[in-house]
Amino acid sequence: MSARNRRSTAAVITAGVAALLALSGAAATAMAAPSSGRDARGSAALVAASASAHTLTVPRGLTISDGTRHVWVNGKSIDFGTVVRDLAWNPRGTKAAFIDGHGNLEVSDPDGSHRVTVAANPGGQTWSHPTWQVTAADRTNGIPAKNNIIFSAKVHGSTVLERVKATATHGTPARISLNNDDPEAGALPQTDNTWPNVGGTYGTSVYENTRTGEVYIRDDYLRQQGGALTRGSEPALAPDAEEVVFVRSVGGHDHLFVDDLNAGSNAVKDITPHATTDFTEPTWSPDGRTIAFRAPTGTYTVTRTAHGFGKPVKVTQHTGLPAYRG
């Protein structure tokens, strides 16, 4: 039974030690440059000349991509040979998926080698935020194994969710169907859907709708149905698919909230109640104990304690999209 259905049964659908950056002043300045345009390319070249001699001390498995050719992997700057946007890892951490500088969907080894164009952008589209959907076969119910990449595609002004096999070469993405698991609630929004994220053993996904301002969940196991969870954006599903972390504005700043899909009326909790800046782009560690996220001053984490989550800890001043590798 999916997390969504467990929660429906309960009649509730509501809603480390800080590390230092070991970059020299010149390299740090270069890394802070914009990630696109002529100036960005010049900055990326400066980084390439100096980054190889430097490392970051970050939590194990945490990687950071910033829209340049360089991705911080295992605390080292790796040149992927192409612009890397929205990097995401498969569950084992053996492959990376990202959008390249031409807007194509690429898959590579962790060091950027053996790069394959899984799907080539036909032009006139903007692709973003790929996420892996990897599940084992369920022979009892006749459901085959899955190894897909789901991503957001802006096509002719409409943003939709699409999917393609992760093993494809120049494959053709297909639009994902979105059906409501509550017939009385009406149809789900078919456009303005973005920021997909997959978790759990059954390929459950969450995503945001920029028009309604809500986070949605989708059960891709048997029925391919879902519905709205709560108000928010940039959701990420915990590895066990029991919780969702997302962003919600409070008092002029973006806070991180966690929605426990098995809880009752107190399911949604602000885990950064004292935020004085914007916390965005959260992601879960593979063990579900830590959430990494982005802030204007660097990359931070919050770790689960016996009483919820602890205080945010700055792990590096380098800022970008955090992702955990396996």
Side-chain angles (χ1 to χ4, degrees), residues 220-243:
D220 198 12
Y221 184 54
L222 290 173
R223 294 161 297 282
Q224 299 185 2
Q225 295 176 334
L229 283 178
T230 187
R231 179 172 54 86
S233 63
E234 299 180 0
L237 196 60
D240 61 4
E242 302 290 347
E243 295 173 293

Side-chain angles (χ1 to χ4, degrees), residues 17-274:
V17 176
L20 299 176
L21 179 66
L23 287 176
S24 67
T29 300
M31 292 303 292
S35 59
S36 61
R38 182 176 300 175
D39 291 341
R41 288 192 292 272
S43 298
L46 181 60
V47 173
S50 57
S52 61
H54 301 283
T55 61
L56 294 175
T57 303
V58 296
R60 180 178 177 84
L62 181 62
T63 67
I64 303 171
S65 58
D66 59 7
T68 68
R69 291 163 48 125
H70 295 266
V71 179
W72 291 99
V73 180
N74 291 332
K76 296 182 179 180
S77 178
I78 305 296
D79 186 348
F80 271 53
T82 184
V83 167
V84 176
R85 297 191 178 99
D86 297 349
L87 180 143
W89 299 95
N90 68 354
R92 295 176 57 196
T94 57
K95 292 289 183 180
F98 56 90
I99 307 300
D100 71 7
H102 301 287
N104 302 322
L105 177 60
E106 303 278 331
V107 165
S108 77
D109 286 352
D111 61 358
S113 65
H114 299 100
R115 199 165 69 241
V116 175
T117 301
V118 173
N121 193 313
Q125 300 186 14
T126 302
W127 293 356
S128 63
H129 211 73
T131 181
W132 293 78
Q133 183 188 52
V134 180
T135 66
D138 181 348
R139 294 181 175 82
T140 301
N141 292 297
I143 300 174
K146 298 174 184 176
N147 186 14
N148 302 318
I149 296 176
I150 295 174
F151 61 97
S152 174
K154 187 173 184 179
V155 184
H156 303 305
S158 295
T159 307
V160 298
L161 301 182
E162 297 191 347
R163 175 170 52 203
V164 65
K165 288 188 177 298
T167 54
T169 301
H170 288 266
T172 301
R175 185 168 170 176
I176 295 176
S177 61
L178 301 172
N179 304 303
N180 205 320
D181 62 5
D182 181 1
E184 297 182 359
L188 294 181
Q190 299 298 302
T191 60
D192 303 308
N193 296 311
T194 187
W195 209 272
N197 183 263
V198 176
T201 58
Y202 298 114
T204 302
S205 59
V206 289
Y207 59 94
E208 70 165 282
N209 186 275
T210 56
R211 177 170 51 83
T212 66
E214 291 185 294
V215 171
Y216 291 77
I217 190 166
R218 182 178 186 275
D219 176 9
D220 198 12
Y221 184 54
L222 290 173
R223 294 161 297 282
Q224 299 185 2
Q225 295 176 334
L229 283 178
T230 187
R231 179 172 54 86
S233 63
E234 299 180 0
L237 196 60
D240 61 4
E242 302 290 347
E243 295 173 293
V244 179
V245 61
F246 60 91
V247 175
R248 181 187 289 175
S249 180
V250 178
H253 291 297
D254 288 334
H255 290 214
L256 300 185
F257 285 75
V258 168
D259 187 354
D260 185 340
L261 299 179
N262 290 312
S265 58
N266 295 321
V268 178
K269 296 185 181 299
D270 187 347
I271 65 170
T272 57
H274 306 296

